[in-house]
Amino acid sequence: MRRLLLLLGLLLLQQACCFEFVIDGEWEEDVSDMRDHRERHKRAILTSEEEEDFEAVRGEDITVKSYKVESRITSRFAHTTVRSSVVNSGSKAQSIGFNVQIPKRAFITNFTMNVNGIIFVGSVKEKTVARNLYAQARARGKAAGIVRANSQDMETFKTEVHVPPGSNIEFELHYQEMMHRRLGFYEHSLFLQPGRLVPQFQVDVYIFEPKGISMVETPNTLGEQFVQNIKVTSTKEKAHIVFKPNLQQQRKCDNCTGSAIDGIFTVRYDVTRDGNAGELQVSDGHFVQFFAPSNLSPLPKNIVFVIDVSGSMWGVKMKQTVEAMQAILEDLTIDDHFSIIDFNHNVRCWNEELVAGSSIQIADAKRYVQDIKPNGGTNINEALLRAVQMLVKASNQGLIDPRSVSMIILVSDGDPTVGEIKLGTIQKNVKRVMREEFSLFSLGIGFDVDYDFLERIAMENRGMAQRIYANHDAAEQLRAFYSQVSSPLLRMIQVQFPEDSVSDVTQNRFDKYFSGSELVVAGKVKPSESNTLTSFTTARAARMDVTFETEGDFTELDTELAKQQHSFTGFARQMWAYITVKQLISERALAPTAVKKRKITQRIMALAVEHQFVTPLTALLVESEDTNERLLADSPRDPKHGCCSGAGFGGGSTSTLNPVNVVYQAPPWVQMTTNAPPSQAVKGSEEYALPPTVNLVDNDPHFIVHLPSSNMDVCFNIDSAPGHILNLVTDTGTGLVVNGQLVGSKQAHKGKLSTYFGTISVYYQPDGVSLTVGTDSISMTDGQRNHSFTWGTTAKISQDGVRISIVKNSHVSIMINNNIHVMVLLHRVWTKNPVSVDFLGVYIPNDNQYSPLVHGMIGQFSREPEVSVHDMHEGMDPLKKEATMEVKGNTLLVTRGWQKDYRRDKRLGSSIYCWFIHNSGKGFIDGHYTDYIVPHLNSFLQAH
């Protein structure tokens, strides 16, 4: 645990004010990659230090008047302020400490202090600049302070100020962090350990999410005593969580003087998502793209578990690891492949090759793990190289699905002691043999392990590291980590933008995306005549390629933020800087040359100073208002050149921050869409342009059949019952089926219950692909894998010979083998409409290239019948002429009328004049309309 320790000795005399400072320690210099026994011994010492009792405010005879914490979370970015007011109520001068535990991923942005009216205000400066100012203050005998950064993880900020009796001190610390999504939710943690009763104790967490909050909860992490003291109020977009126990409620017992508040106050929440395309927010000249798709079928996994079984793992560590592995192995499926390597001074393999996750293999692997007996040394190098060789062999033999995810999961509790023990050499060895499609995840158990090494080797190989605390909960920690990587949904993800629309984009290419996580890309928006920014996210899913399109309005969010009392208006700018600095720190740890490292260092320092982040390369200079007194709050240096990964969970690219292919180029089979006005659903050049005249079914349901040779349109209605499935196209020659299921109106109108198509199914048998379009969602399956999309998504999907384009809240286009096209149009009605329901329209071109076997209610007209119309005369309705039609050997009385084509105007439609066939198309369609009723959405029409 790294501690930021700000030591300030203050002697305030009655006659005059002067400052005398006690300096603890010297500036720490950079260290090389080579560690010795002293550093490892220090890790053990720090472990014991972390177990000391923690108090937010320290002092023997003091009164803590107030302790308040406020977090403002806007679009997953949190700004937290911790304030405390303290009085030295004793009779002697004493040191008073102000301690704050902050999340490891957070950046301190400011610290201010008011000591008896003398106000110290912080500002972040480059560390060398801050040191010089600090040295100048010391040389002049002015106030000066120093921070000791002497531990592994920046978690604790500590301040001490020595004041005379009666002194009033006010502390205020600010820090910022980005919320990371894990297992389907964001978690905001506040460390609450006041150490004493506080008259004014209050925690406020304000959440504002523009797209809406889907859930918010406060797990019982402080104990049953405080469950009733936590109040949560929420609306669609906002939530306020307040924790405000009074003095009596804070007590450990009715007569106790100690505080029962001692733990982590946790808020979990998730946001509302319109669809899989993600959320693009534009604010203050910056953008943030959030990408967290769901309802996609998981990719197969190839996993090699590499388990440390050296002597140091004996006892609870091994017991918890075995317990976790039993559950993890049980989670594997038949589509997954795996093996197990355990190592001490030797390396053993449960199986020399990857095997399928069958029940027999899993049972055998569980027995193997159960029988492990820890002993001996630690040969990490050979174990990891053997794991890579196993994946390489499986890949070369074609045993690995090209779309699967291959990973190594290392579990270890110590440094190497056998074989290659130089960490830098091990890192290079692994990097040399790893393939781009492989990832390494490192789990470090306890504090004897060099966590920075595990983090570097994981980051360099498209993975991440996590510390596992060696206690009774270790098995659950291991299982929780595995849950995060157990369901990969996408690979090779890229987020791109139109040319000259953005700049300074953070990492926009990711190796993989795991279910329940989130990928985040941020950048600056260039000036544009357009009022919207568009992003394109391309990825590979199980058996299919996808492209999601998202739009963000330039001014909408800023207007909304201005109305919010507790939002963080500068979130986008700070989030961009936060992600950029985190990624640069990760890059710096892996910099191949000193020159490269210096350049990255300069970028980090410039950004950190501009955005006021205390990083390993900057310091917080705290000055009194007249700058005569200075304190220096120095962030922990990076002792082993390692730091937290800024890429977020989901597997990052190890390339530089300069993004690859920021400019979106559509796949060759897609033409760019032309954004249409809201009143026009489909206009101009679209993905698969339909000809002006088509066969269609729309409204309740009206069929319009275009006869090209006769240049004539013929209409008919079908009066069937809700729930019936009508076959529109059956082509056993190409293996195509298009069916539609009817849904009824909410109630009868003028004694008649109208029916509409509520579901359309397109099934292509050769590829086994079925697309089911409903009014709520669009689902796709190939018999083994299921994927689901909402109408809030704009996406392009390609699988084998089937290509699908979804335009948000408008329509779905399906192209099969480039020669058969079907479009489904969405109609939304007012939700409170007492009669009508949402429904679908179907548009099918005449030039679809079916086989000669095609039939169906629309398919039959690919062979155009001979039609003649004569004896036109006035009808009962003077506006509608009547005539006689000769078709298929039948003589029919037809009426001249019109129906609607809604492709270009979904609200009013375009009128198409046609001859109307009465009696559900009898005489015009083959047989009776009931002949076209099929049992299932993917059923072919049987020959009669």
Side-chain angles (χ1 to χ4, degrees):
M1 183 185 294
R2 290 180 184 163
R3 289 179 172 80
L4 301 180
L5 179 56
L6 178 60
L7 294 177
L8 170 60
L10 263 167
L11 292 177
L12 297 180
L13 306 181
Q14 292 182 353
Q15 294 86 357
C17 174
C18 67
F19 296 85
E20 182 179 275
F21 286 82
V22 180
I23 305 302
D24 176 21
E26 299 298 329
W27 293 109
E28 302 184 57
E29 302 298 333
D30 291 336
V31 296
S32 66
D33 287 331
M34 296 299 296
R35 261 83 76 191
D36 57 20
H37 292 293
R38 287 176 299 175
E39 289 176 302
R40 293 175 183 174
H41 175 64
K42 186 172 74 172
R43 292 206 298 268
I45 294 174
L46 293 171
T47 304
S48 63
E49 288 177 358
E50 289 161 0
E51 295 174 356
E52 66 182 358
D53 292 335
F54 181 91
E55 287 183 312
V57 184
R58 279 187 178 272
E60 290 301 322
D61 196 1
I62 62 173
T63 300
V64 181
K65 296 193 296 184
S66 67
Y67 190 87
K68 297 183 178 181
V69 183
E70 179 185 281
S71 289
R72 298 187 178 193
I73 304 174
T74 299
S75 295
R76 291 80 142 175
F77 197 74
H79 182 111
T80 300
T81 306
V82 184
R83 300 180 179 93
S84 185
S85 179
V86 186
V87 176
N88 181 3
S89 50
S91 58
K92 298 178 181 179
Q94 66 167 314
S95 294
I96 296 177
F98 174 66
N99 310 319
V100 180
Q101 284 188 282
I102 65 174
K104 288 180 290 185
R105 61 175 178 251
F107 284 143
I108 291 173
T109 57
N110 207 345
F111 172 68
T112 62
M113 187 167 58
N114 185 334
V115 183
N116 291 331
I118 300 175
I119 299 175
F120 293 85
V121 181
S123 62
V124 177
K125 298 183 183 299
E126 291 184 15
K127 188 168 286 189
T128 53
V129 173
R131 287 177 179 181
N132 290 335
L133 291 171
Y134 158 77
Q136 292 170 19
R138 285 193 66 184
R140 296 197 305 270
K142 299 296 183 181
I146 190 170
V147 161
R148 291 288 289 149
N150 60 356
S151 186
Q152 298 254 352
D153 301 314
M154 184 174 67
E155 289 182 338
T156 306
F157 176 89
K158 302 187 74 174
T159 311
E160 286 186 14
V161 55
H162 193 77
V163 295
S167 296
N168 289 277
I169 310 101
E170 294 179 358
F171 302 101
E172 185 172 305
L173 180 72
H174 297 256
Y175 62 88
Q176 295 178 355
E177 61 180 314
M178 186 177 80
M179 300 290 97
H180 291 263
R181 191 166 183 256
R182 301 281 188 271
L183 302 175
F185 56 82
Y186 308 94
E187 186 168 282
H188 184 57
S189 298
L190 299 170
F191 297 84
L192 304 180
Q193 294 154 305
R196 64 195 67 237
L197 301 177
V198 182
Q200 298 179 46
F201 185 95
Q202 184 166 342
V203 177
D204 290 283
V205 178
Y206 299 95
I207 304 173
F208 174 66
E209 290 290 347
K211 289 293 185 181
I213 299 172
S214 62
M215 62 80 74
V216 59
E217 64 181 20
T218 54
N220 181 19
T221 53
L222 289 176
E224 291 291 339
Q225 177 179 344
F226 298 110
V227 171
Q228 301 303 318
N229 299 120
I230 301 173
K231 306 299 181 185
V232 180
T233 57
S234 62
T235 59
K236 179 185 176 184
E237 300 169 340
K238 293 184 289 187
H240 178 207
I241 300 92
V242 61
F243 176 52
K244 190 179 179 182
N246 59 35
L247 277 173
Q248 187 61 32
Q249 291 167 337
Q250 294 175 40
R251 298 181 191 275
K252 289 184 177 180
C253 63
D254 290 343
N255 299 320
C256 294
T257 58
S259 174
I261 302 174
D262 183 8
I264 299 176
F265 181 78
T266 303
V267 176
R268 291 176 183 165
Y269 79 96
D270 200 16
V271 301
T272 303
R273 292 175 175 82
D274 291 337
N276 285 336
E279 183 180 348
L280 181 58
Q281 298 182 6
V282 182
S283 174
D284 192 24
H286 293 72
F287 75 86
V288 184
Q289 167 80 56
F290 301 101
F291 184 62
S294 58
N295 297 320
L296 300 173
S297 190
L299 297 165
K301 302 184 296 293
N302 314 297
I303 307 179
V304 181
F305 299 98
V306 181
I307 304 172
D308 184 346
V309 296
S310 60
S312 59
M313 286 286 288
W314 184 269
V316 68
K317 292 179 184 177
M318 197 70 247
K319 180 181 178 183
Q320 296 286 317
T321 300
V322 169
E323 181 183 330
M325 282 299 301
Q326 298 287 330
I328 289 170
L329 290 169
E330 196 65 44
D331 183 71
L332 296 173
T333 70
I334 192 64
D335 292 328
D336 298 325
H337 290 77
F338 77 104
S339 189
I340 300 169
I341 293 176
D342 61 295
F343 69 96
N344 43 34
H345 50 282
N346 295 316
V347 176
R348 297 192 311 164
C349 298
W350 163 68
N351 195 308
E352 293 289 342
E353 297 182 347
L354 293 181
V355 298
S358 67
S359 57
I360 295 175
Q361 298 286 10
I362 289 172
D364 187 59
K366 289 168 73 173
R367 286 192 294 270
Y368 180 85
V369 171
Q370 190 69 46
D371 293 338
I372 289 176
K373 298 293 187 292
N375 67 85
T378 307
N379 192 345
I380 293 179
N381 183 72
E382 187 180 342
L384 288 177
L385 295 183
R386 186 80 63 88
V388 177
Q389 290 168 4
M390 194 176 290
L391 289 176
V392 169
K393 181 180 179 181
S395 179
N396 291 342
Q397 292 178 344
L399 301 178
I400 291 179
D401 184 334
R403 288 181 179 265
S404 64
V405 170
S406 299
M407 63 182 82
I408 297 168
I409 297 180
L410 169 66
V411 181
S412 180
D413 77 329
D415 292 333
T417 60
V418 179
E420 181 57 67
I421 63 172
K422 294 181 180 179
L423 301 183
T425 303
I426 297 173
Q427 187 176 336
K428 291 176 183 177
N429 290 344
V430 174
K431 174 66 175 175
R432 186 179 65 252
V433 297
M434 282 284 279
R435 291 187 177 179
E436 284 293 321
E437 64 267 29
F438 301 162
S439 296
L440 171 63
F441 296 91
S442 303
L443 298 174
I445 300 182
F447 289 90
D448 294 329
V449 67
D450 191 312
Y451 183 71
D452 288 304
F453 162 69
L454 293 182
E455 195 163 49
R456 284 199 311 277
I457 198 171
M459 282 166 30
E460 193 172 38
N461 294 287
R462 296 159 296 283
M464 66 165 287
Q466 183 165 314
R467 189 188 296 282
I468 303 298
Y469 297 92
N471 55 32
H472 68 280
D473 195 30
E476 180 55 37
Q477 295 175 60
L478 288 164
R479 286 195 297 268
F481 174 85
Y482 177 75
S483 296
Q484 295 178 57
V485 300
S486 63
S487 186
L489 300 185
L490 297 172
R491 284 207 58 211
M492 299 173 62
I493 306 103
Q494 288 195 52
V495 182
Q496 302 165 303
F497 303 85
E499 191 172 4
D500 293 326
S501 62
V502 297
S503 67
D504 299 285
V505 178
T506 61
Q507 179 184 341
N508 71 321
R509 184 177 63 180
F510 304 89
D511 183 66
K512 59 188 71 67
Y513 166 77
F514 294 99
S515 178
S517 66
E518 183 171 62
L519 302 180
V520 183
V521 178
K524 296 179 179 179
V525 179
K526 289 186 176 181
S528 170
E529 295 181 0
S530 171
N531 197 40
T532 59
L533 175 66
T534 305
S535 70
F536 302 90
T537 303
T538 60
R540 299 181 65 181
R543 281 195 65 192
M544 69 182 188
D545 296 332
V546 294
T547 299
F548 299 105
E549 182 178 336
T550 314
E551 288 187 345
D553 188 275
F554 277 21
T555 59
E556 188 177 83
L557 182 53
D558 283 335
T559 302
E560 190 60 35
L561 286 172
K563 302 175 185 176
Q564 305 300 322
Q565 183 180 357
H566 297 289
S567 67
F568 177 28
T569 53
F571 87 92
R573 179 176 180 271
Q574 289 299 98
M575 182 179 281
W576 166 78
Y578 176 96
I579 297 172
T580 302
V581 170
K582 288 286 187 182
Q583 291 178 359
L584 284 170
I585 291 173
S586 297
E587 264 197 71
R588 183 176 181 269
L590 303 174
T593 65
V595 173
K596 177 71 171 176
K597 189 170 186 176
R598 280 196 298 272
K599 288 183 178 179
I600 296 173
T601 299
Q602 291 169 358
R603 290 184 64 189
I604 293 172
M605 290 192 298
L607 277 172
V609 170
E610 180 184 354
H611 295 268
Q612 295 292 286
F613 292 147
V614 178
T615 71
L617 303 173
T618 52
L620 181 68
L621 186 70
V622 185
E623 301 178 294
S624 64
E625 291 179 318
D626 58 7
T627 70
N628 285 330
E629 290 80 31
R630 290 184 175 132
L631 302 86
L632 190 62
D634 184 16
S635 169
R637 65 171 176 80
D638 185 5
K640 302 173 189 65
H641 309 289
C643 187
C644 46
S645 170
F649 198 78
S653 167
T654 58
S655 60
T656 65
L657 272 186
N658 298 321
V660 180
N661 294 330
V662 177
V663 178
Y664 174 71
Q665 294 180 335
W669 51 273
V670 171
Q671 298 177 18
M672 291 290 288
T673 61
T674 300
N675 293 331
S679 63
Q680 297 176 318
V682 186
K683 180 182 180 180
S685 174
E686 62 169 337
E687 299 90 335
Y688 321 105
L690 288 172
T693 54
V694 296
N695 300 316
L696 66 94
V697 190
D698 217 324
N699 220 312
D700 60 344
H702 301 312
F703 285 70
I704 304 177
V705 176
H706 180 68
L707 304 175
S709 299
S710 307
N711 193 24
M712 179 188 304
D713 291 288
V714 179
C715 311
F716 58 92
N717 296 344
I718 295 294
D719 294 324
S720 193
H724 280 175
I725 300 172
L726 300 178
N727 176 255
L728 305 179
V729 178
T730 282
D731 188 357
T732 54
T734 61
L736 173 73
V737 171
V738 181
N739 290 327
Q741 186 169 31
L742 296 172
V743 60
S745 56
K746 295 175 183 175
Q747 60 185 26
H749 180 62
K750 296 182 179 179
K752 179 186 177 184
L753 186 69
S754 298
T755 55
Y756 309 83
F757 279 127
T759 305
I760 300 295
S761 173
V762 180
Y763 174 51
Y764 184 53
Q765 192 178 46
D767 291 345
V769 175
S770 173
L771 185 76
T772 304
V773 182
T775 56
D776 294 326
S777 64
I778 302 116
S779 60
M780 179 179 177
T781 182
D782 58 13
Q784 292 182 320
R785 300 172 182 86
N786 302 306
H787 310 281
S788 181
F789 307 87
T790 72
W791 279 104
T793 298
T794 294
K796 300 174 182 67
I797 303 146
S798 174
Q799 178 168 334
D800 301 324
V802 180
R803 292 165 182 168
I804 301 161
S805 174
I806 305 170
V807 176
K808 182 178 180 179
N809 294 322
S810 177
H811 63 279
V812 178
S813 292
I814 305 102
M815 179 72 79
I816 298 173
N817 292 335
N818 293 321
N819 57 21
I820 296 177
H821 186 188
V822 178
M823 189 184 83
V824 181
L825 196 64
L826 173 67
H827 293 272
R828 292 273 191 229
V829 300
W830 180 44
T831 55
K832 296 182 180 180
N833 189 305
V835 177
S836 299
V837 294
D838 294 344
F839 63 95
L840 304 171
V842 187
Y843 294 75
I844 303 176
N846 288 87
D847 58 0
N848 278 351
Q849 297 177 26
Y850 304 114
S851 79
L853 301 177
V854 65
H855 205 262
M857 202 167 283
I858 288 179
Q860 63 187 288
F861 295 104
S862 66
R863 298 180 296 275
E864 184 176 338
E866 292 186 11
V867 177
S868 65
V869 178
H870 56 88
D871 191 23
M872 190 181 304
H873 56 272
E874 294 290 335
M876 297 181 62
D877 185 340
L879 298 178
K880 296 181 179 180
K881 295 185 179 296
E882 294 182 348
T884 300
M885 175 181 289
E886 303 287 344
V887 57
K888 295 182 178 180
N890 300 312
T891 301
L892 308 175
L893 176 65
V894 294
T895 304
R896 190 64 170 170
W898 63 87
Q899 297 294 351
K900 296 287 188 179
D901 182 334
Y902 292 95
R903 285 178 293 163
R904 288 169 175 79
D905 188 334
K906 281 174 53 173
R907 189 171 64 88
L908 299 176
S910 303
S911 295
I912 295 180
Y913 287 91
C914 58
W915 289 106
F916 184 78
I917 309 291
H918 301 275
N919 300 320
S920 296
K922 185 178 180 180
F924 182 67
I925 63 174
D926 294 339
H928 192 266
Y929 85 85
T930 55
D931 298 334
Y932 297 88
I933 297 175
V934 293
H936 307 291
L937 281 170
N938 289 346
S939 296
F940 283 82
L941 183 66
Q942 299 301 311
H944 291 282

